Amino acid sequence: MTLRLVVATANPDKAREIEAVLRDSGLDVDLVARPDEVPEGEETGATLEENARLKAEALRDATGLAALARSEEHTSELQSHSDLVCRLLL
């Protein structure tokens, strides 16, 4: 079964990086880019994780799809799923 997710990033490199990590973990995923008409979302949280949650919630609500947001913006390259700190909202 394929898990269809919308990614809360406008950065195609981050989206590809997330997709690779998920696929390497054995997940069958179909990542959908954030629609252009859906704003990226406000970063009003106190932490990177809170901001990821806020972005994912807004995207989930706008698209009706499960949403994934990467919360660690300072990781230059993800090596494995354990390096991917993310928030998945169904």
Side-chain angles (χ1 to χ4, degrees):
M1 181 172 102
T2 301
L3 179 60
R4 191 160 193 233
L5 303 170
V6 62
V7 180
T9 183
N11 183 325
D13 292 329
K14 284 184 187 176
R16 280 191 293 276
E17 188 176 56
I18 291 169
E19 182 176 27
V21 169
L22 293 173
R23 287 192 193 283
D24 288 349
S25 297
L27 295 172
D28 184 14
V29 294
D30 175 23
L31 293 185
V32 178
R34 179 179 54 82
D36 292 335
E37 66 273 9
V38 177
E40 190 165 338
E42 296 292 320
E43 292 190 349
T44 58
T47 65
L48 291 172
E49 186 173 346
E50 287 178 25
N51 285 332
R53 180 185 50 79
L54 291 169
K55 287 181 178 184
E57 285 176 347
L59 196 53
R60 177 204 57 202
D61 294 348
T63 64
L65 295 172
L68 180 75
R70 181 175 159 192
S71 65
E72 181 51 67
E73 297 297 331
H74 303 294
T75 302
S76 61
E77 183 176 332
L78 299 173
Q79 298 299 320
S80 70
H81 69 279
S82 63
D83 293 332
L84 179 62
V85 179
C86 64
R87 182 65 69 166
L88 173 62
L89 295 169
L90 302 174

